Amino acid sequence: CLVGDVALASAFISYCGGFNQEFRAIIMQQKLTPDLNAREIPTTNNLHLIDFLVNLAQRGDWALEGLPTDPLSLQNGILVTRSSRYPLLIDPQGQALNWIKNHGAHQLPT
């Protein structure tokens, strides 16, 4: 199942950033997972990508930096920390912007 799970996680990071939480779930559950199953690539049933990509300690650090713990915010945190380029995020309340400032404060010029 690891190969299929990694493929799903990679697809999530690569393609789902610009969409809201509902459409991200549709892409993952109704498009990508059935495609992998049709190709006989095993995946974990009901894979929870947040648990697969981020451990509890990292989530705790993010919460201390000001990232809310709702699934959309955690997905946005994954996209920011795992993307090799600048990700497009859906952030209707501006919470991710504050977290990015706190998370990357050590990298900002003074």
Side-chain angles (χ1 to χ4, degrees), residues 78-106:
I78 290 167
L79 292 168
V80 167
T81 59
R82 303 292 192 268
S83 297
S84 60
R85 297 183 182 177
Y86 300 106
L88 173 65
L89 301 177
I90 302 301
D91 185 29
Q93 297 177 339
Q95 296 169 324
L97 179 60
N98 293 329
W99 172 73
I100 289 169
K101 289 177 183 177
N102 292 334
H103 182 73
H106 66 282

Side-chain angles (χ1 to χ4, degrees), residues 23-99:
F23 196 66
R24 288 175 182 176
I26 290 169
I27 291 171
M28 299 306 292
Q29 296 167 0
Q30 296 178 13
K31 300 292 182 186
L32 296 173
T33 301
D35 184 62
L36 290 174
N37 292 337
R39 296 170 192 267
E40 298 182 3
I41 299 172
T43 60
T44 301
N45 291 334
N46 299 321
L47 176 66
H48 194 257
L49 284 172
I50 295 171
D51 291 337
F52 186 72
L53 291 169
V54 181
N55 62 34
L56 289 174
Q58 185 71 53
R59 287 191 220 176
D61 290 343
W62 289 353
L64 290 175
E65 294 169 341
L67 185 71
T69 57
D70 63 279
L72 179 63
S73 296
L74 291 172
Q75 289 175 358
N76 285 340
I78 290 167
L79 292 168
V80 167
T81 59
R82 303 292 192 268
S83 297
S84 60
R85 297 183 182 177
Y86 300 106
L88 173 65
L89 301 177
I90 302 301
D91 185 29
Q93 297 177 339
Q95 296 169 324
L97 179 60
N98 293 329
W99 172 73

